[in-house]
Amino acid sequence: MQVQQNVNTASSYAQVFNLPHLGPLPELDVEQWLNTEQPLSLEQCRGRVVALYAFQMLCPSCISQALPQAKQLRQAFTHEDLVVIGLHSVFEHHSAMPEVSLRAFLQEYEIHFPVAIDRSSSMGIPHSMQNYALQGTPSLLLIDQSGRLRRHYFGPADDIQLGAEIMELVLSDV
Amino acid sequence: MQVQQNVNTASSYAQVFNLPHLGPLPELDVEQWLNTEQPLSLEQCRGRVVALYAFQMLCPSCISQALPQAKQLRQAFTHEDLVVIGLHSVFEHHSAMPEVSLRAFLQEYEIHFPVAIDRSSSMGIPHSMQNYALQGTPSLLLIDQSGRLRRHYFGPADDIQLGAEIMELVLSDV
Amino acid sequence: MQVQQNVNTASSYAQVFNLPHLGPLPELDVEQWLNTEQPLSLEQCRGRVVALYAFQMLCPSCISQALPQAKQLRQAFTHEDLVVIGLHSVFEHHSAMPEVSLRAFLQEYEIHFPVAIDRSSSMGIPHSMQNYALQGTPSLLLIDQSGRLRRHYFGPADDIQLGAEIMELVLSDV
Amino acid sequence: MQVQQNVNTASSYAQVFNLPHLGPLPELDVEQWLNTEQPLSLEQCRGRVVALYAFQMLCPSCISQALPQAKQLRQAFTHEDLVVIGLHSVFEHHSAMPEVSLRAFLQEYEIHFPVAIDRSSSMGIPHSMQNYALQGTPSLLLIDQSGRLRRHYFGPADDIQLGAEIMELVLSDV
């Protein structure tokens, strides 16, 4: 391997990730908030990066991969830099995951960041899940300090790359 | 949890990691280079971030943790942004890890980034290991685009935090 | 290490595990059976070994360790040799784990062996859990071909040792 | 699932594994023994089961899977029931794995059971590896108390099944 040279910071930046702007993200449309005294909104998160994890409490890869990663993000970044939010978007087994079950789940898995319950719809797919065009769970949306969607993961996100992407958004000018 | 507000980017930056300057790092003092046609130097890596992994081929946690992480870094960042270098710093079992063994090791573990063989000394601790005050293996040094040491890990480094720290150095002005 | 000699099969047997007889196990006292057309009883399992896994669907180590092991047992042994039974013994968060939630859980985690719902009591600890003096979840009871308890695990059981213990019970005369 | 009934111990036994007799295994043909004061032979292991692990110190899956399993076997069974032997069968990178390197490797990985160095041949494949028709490393041979080969694994062996198979051989009449 021959390491290349003559690279400046600007082009580095461009080549690293240069996360695309996927447009402004609509506000969360949810029924209820857990793990927070007051409801949150994406609007009030401006100036900070947001990692929004859509999950279901009976989704195996949410439990084994996405939620542990969300907890690690909460440890790696300060509250001033990153807001971690869970979005419980139930699109199957609706009657199996009521609020009382979700509350026990969060306690057993020691999830302490704010979790919103997505607003149910008559068609089965809850509202925020529809608005954000999520394909299933787990999904992870990275939102920049201006409220724009910059990354949309469906399935697992690599830890190293995710840490780097969030830092890119933390350091970028609004 | 109550999410805090009124945070600007500048203070975010300050709070994220704000990796300290641990001083300029002396040039590598090594016997030989593998996996590269021409010898490397830290000098010629200016303008890029360097992740320098000191390891021994018979060190269990190097094999299970540090070297797989180094390979993942190689995937996550471009060559323009990050140089990944292995430093084979043998300080025990010297006769057990000659160059011929290291070459086979690199092949079997599919390690393709440049690896330097630290210069042996009569006292057992090789030269670069002494110069960098490494406490053992695995050790990881993060070097910024100006050649200054910014982070010194002895033992495992968290993937998410490492990705973020490297990105901080990639994006910082020289 | 000096390997010892002059060992005969009989004494080997004695030294391997020689699982103690912990007494006859009372019959299961449960409310309902899932994943089976007809209710099971320990009585009808005579002539086969039984691995009885007590769990809760919101118990993290049940999900990460015990239930995957139960599924592996189901693959490793035939139905003629080993009966694998799940026992859903809810002793906390009672309202969070109703039958409809358990059914969805079993489907999502692809658990196909019979699962009994422990009979609830007014005191919170369900009946079979009381009768078997279980200390919590996950618990694993190994029952021999005569219906006697031979091993009682609370927490994780080592895969290799468990495979060996079950084989000991499969091969032992009734 | 409908659990079957009317199964007796004898047919259970027959259905469990009933490990085939793969013939008497020739004696080990090796250059040297480590981790033991006196050379071992399969002959002197009669009356005990033998787990013979063929490995190379630079073989990644030997390090990550087979050797940790061998160490777990050493914990799970007594010396009276099971002899665990390592066989260092180098068939590639011959000059990279001399005895001095192997000794350091065993120390670093805390492998304390006896390890034999397979006898090298002019054709590259060492003698025992040829005699036992091993396809590569890791390989695991299970040898019964009469010295007959009963199981030949190339690649990973499942922990639960392996524990059961060894117990079957421990309990079987010679």
Side-chain angles (χ1 to χ4, degrees):
Chain A
M1 197 201 77
Q2 188 98 21
V3 178
Q4 299 178 37
Q5 299 188 19
N6 302 323
V7 182
N8 61 33
T9 309
S11 68
S12 277
Y13 189 148
Q15 293 182 48
V16 176
F17 295 110
N18 193 21
L19 295 172
H21 298 124
L22 301 173
L25 206 63
E27 190 52 78
L28 284 160
D29 184 5
V30 301
E31 293 183 354
Q32 191 172 350
W33 284 89
L34 307 178
N35 284 346
T36 177
E37 293 179 11
Q38 295 190 314
L40 294 185
S41 68
L42 296 182
E43 173 69 27
Q44 76 182 102
C45 294
R46 294 291 151 78
R48 287 167 291 168
V49 178
V50 177
L52 180 65
Y53 278 91
F55 74 103
Q56 294 180 105
M57 59 170 281
L58 292 182
C59 152
S61 61
C62 296
I63 288 178
S64 65
Q65 189 272 327
L67 292 172
Q69 185 182 65
K71 291 169 72 173
Q72 290 173 318
L73 285 185
R74 190 60 291 155
Q75 293 298 316
F77 292 91
T78 67
H79 290 278
E80 288 72 25
D81 287 327
L82 179 70
V83 182
V84 176
I85 297 176
L87 176 64
H88 196 236
S89 294
V90 178
F91 64 93
E92 55 188 353
H93 308 300
H94 295 82
S95 59
M97 295 179 264
E99 182 192 327
V100 61
S101 299
L102 178 60
R103 284 184 182 276
F105 172 84
L106 297 178
Q107 183 179 333
E108 287 302 309
Y109 279 87
E110 299 180 349
I111 294 172
H112 303 306
F113 51 77
V115 171
I117 299 177
D118 202 350
R119 187 175 304 285
S120 62
S121 82
S122 57
M123 304 190 302
I125 310 293
H127 283 236
S128 293
M129 188 173 188
Q130 285 184 41
N131 295 343
Y132 300 157
L134 305 183
Q135 301 164 268
T137 57
S139 287
L140 166 58
L141 304 182
L142 293 187
I143 305 164
D144 69 16
Q145 301 179 52
S146 301
R148 296 173 300 192
L149 178 63
R150 301 297 289 275
R151 186 64 98 184
H152 180 154
Y153 285 102
F154 174 48
D158 177 72
D159 282 343
I160 290 174
Q161 183 171 335
L162 181 59
E165 290 178 345
I166 291 174
M167 184 57 102
E168 177 180 345
L169 298 180
V170 165
L171 295 182
S172 64
D173 290 331
V174 206
Chain B
M1 197 201 75
Q2 187 99 21
V3 178
Q4 300 177 37
Q5 300 189 19
N6 302 323
V7 182
N8 61 34
T9 309
S11 69
S12 278
Y13 187 145
Q15 293 183 48
V16 174
F17 295 110
N18 193 20
L19 294 172
H21 297 124
L22 302 172
L25 205 65
E27 190 52 79
L28 284 161
D29 185 3
V30 301
E31 294 183 353
Q32 191 171 351
W33 284 89
L34 307 178
N35 283 346
T36 175
E37 292 180 13
Q38 294 191 315
L40 294 185
S41 68
L42 296 182
E43 173 68 26
Q44 75 183 103
C45 294
R46 293 292 151 78
R48 288 168 289 167
V49 178
V50 177
L52 181 65
Y53 278 90
F55 74 103
Q56 293 180 105
M57 59 169 281
L58 292 182
C59 151
S61 60
C62 297
I63 288 179
S64 64
Q65 188 272 328
L67 292 172
Q69 185 181 66
K71 292 169 70 175
Q72 290 172 320
L73 285 185
R74 190 60 291 157
Q75 292 299 315
F77 292 90
T78 67
H79 290 276
E80 287 73 23
D81 287 327
L82 178 70
V83 182
V84 176
I85 297 176
L87 175 65
H88 197 235
S89 294
V90 178
F91 64 93
E92 55 187 353
H93 309 299
H94 295 81
S95 59
M97 295 179 266
E99 182 192 329
V100 61
S101 299
L102 178 59
R103 284 185 182 276
F105 172 85
L106 297 179
Q107 183 179 334
E108 287 301 310
Y109 279 87
E110 299 179 348
I111 294 172
H112 304 307
F113 50 78
V115 171
I117 299 177
D118 203 350
R119 186 175 304 284
S120 63
S121 83
S122 57
M123 303 190 302
I125 310 293
H127 283 236
S128 294
M129 188 173 186
Q130 284 184 42
N131 295 343
Y132 300 157
L134 305 183
Q135 301 164 267
T137 56
S139 287
L140 166 58
L141 304 182
L142 292 187
I143 305 163
D144 69 15
Q145 300 180 52
S146 301
R148 297 173 300 192
L149 179 62
R150 301 298 290 275
R151 185 64 99 184
H152 181 154
Y153 285 101
F154 174 47
D158 177 71
D159 282 342
I160 290 174
Q161 183 170 335
L162 181 59
E165 290 178 345
I166 291 173
M167 183 58 102
E168 177 180 345
L169 298 179
V170 165
L171 295 183
S172 64
D173 290 333
V174 209
Chain C
M1 196 201 76
Q2 187 97 22
V3 178
Q4 299 178 38
Q5 300 189 17
N6 301 323
V7 182
N8 60 34
T9 309
S11 68
S12 277
Y13 188 145
Q15 292 182 46
V16 176
F17 295 110
N18 193 21
L19 296 172
H21 297 124
L22 302 172
L25 206 65
E27 189 51 76
L28 285 160
D29 185 4
V30 301
E31 294 182 354
Q32 191 171 351
W33 284 89
L34 308 177
N35 284 346
T36 176
E37 293 180 11
Q38 294 190 316
L40 294 185
S41 68
L42 297 182
E43 173 67 26
Q44 75 183 101
C45 294
R46 294 291 153 77
R48 288 167 290 167
V49 178
V50 177
L52 181 65
Y53 279 91
F55 73 103
Q56 294 180 104
M57 59 170 281
L58 293 182
C59 152
S61 60
C62 296
I63 287 178
S64 64
Q65 189 272 327
L67 292 172
Q69 185 182 66
K71 290 169 74 174
Q72 290 172 320
L73 285 185
R74 189 60 291 154
Q75 293 298 316
F77 292 91
T78 67
H79 290 278
E80 287 73 24
D81 287 326
L82 179 70
V83 182
V84 176
I85 297 176
L87 175 65
H88 196 236
S89 293
V90 178
F91 64 93
E92 56 188 353
H93 308 300
H94 295 81
S95 59
M97 294 179 265
E99 183 193 326
V100 61
S101 300
L102 178 59
R103 284 184 183 277
F105 172 83
L106 297 179
Q107 183 179 333
E108 287 302 310
Y109 279 87
E110 300 180 348
I111 294 173
H112 304 308
F113 50 77
V115 171
I117 300 177
D118 203 350
R119 185 176 305 285
S120 63
S121 82
S122 57
M123 303 190 302
I125 310 293
H127 283 236
S128 293
M129 189 174 186
Q130 284 184 41
N131 295 343
Y132 300 156
L134 304 183
Q135 300 165 268
T137 57
S139 287
L140 166 58
L141 304 182
L142 292 187
I143 305 164
D144 70 14
Q145 300 179 52
S146 301
R148 295 173 300 193
L149 179 62
R150 301 297 290 276
R151 186 64 98 185
H152 180 155
Y153 285 102
F154 174 47
D158 177 71
D159 283 343
I160 290 174
Q161 183 170 336
L162 181 59
E165 290 178 346
I166 291 173
M167 183 58 103
E168 177 180 346
L169 297 180
V170 165
L171 295 182
S172 64
D173 289 331
V174 207
Chain D
M1 196 202 76
Q2 187 99 19
V3 178
Q4 300 178 36
Q5 299 189 16
N6 303 321
V7 182
N8 61 32
T9 309
S11 68
S12 278
Y13 188 147
Q15 293 182 45
V16 175
F17 295 109
N18 193 22
L19 295 173
H21 297 124
L22 302 172
L25 206 65
E27 190 51 79
L28 285 160
D29 185 4
V30 301
E31 293 182 354
Q32 192 171 350
W33 284 90
L34 307 177
N35 284 346
T36 176
E37 294 180 12
Q38 295 191 315
L40 294 186
S41 69
L42 296 182
E43 173 67 27
Q44 75 184 102
C45 293
R46 293 292 152 79
R48 287 167 291 166
V49 178
V50 177
L52 180 65
Y53 278 90
F55 74 104
Q56 293 180 105
M57 61 169 281
L58 293 183
C59 151
S61 60
C62 296
I63 288 179
S64 63
Q65 188 271 327
L67 292 171
Q69 185 181 66
K71 291 169 72 175
Q72 290 172 319
L73 284 185
R74 190 60 291 156
Q75 293 298 316
F77 291 91
T78 68
H79 290 278
E80 287 72 24
D81 286 327
L82 179 70
V83 182
V84 176
I85 297 175
L87 175 65
H88 197 235
S89 293
V90 178
F91 64 94
E92 55 187 352
H93 308 299
H94 295 83
S95 59
M97 295 179 267
E99 182 193 328
V100 63
S101 299
L102 178 60
R103 283 185 183 276
F105 172 84
L106 297 179
Q107 183 179 334
E108 288 301 310
Y109 279 88
E110 301 180 348
I111 293 172
H112 304 306
F113 51 77
V115 171
I117 299 177
D118 203 349
R119 186 176 305 283
S120 62
S121 83
S122 56
M123 303 189 302
I125 310 294
H127 283 237
S128 294
M129 189 173 186
Q130 284 183 41
N131 295 343
Y132 301 157
L134 305 182
Q135 300 164 267
T137 57
S139 288
L140 166 58
L141 304 183
L142 293 186
I143 305 164
D144 69 16
Q145 300 179 51
S146 301
R148 297 173 299 192
L149 179 62
R150 301 298 289 275
R151 185 64 98 185
H152 182 153
Y153 284 101
F154 174 47
D158 176 72
D159 283 342
I160 289 174
Q161 184 171 334
L162 181 59
E165 290 178 345
I166 291 174
M167 183 58 102
E168 177 180 344
L169 297 180
V170 166
L171 295 183
S172 64
D173 290 332
V174 207

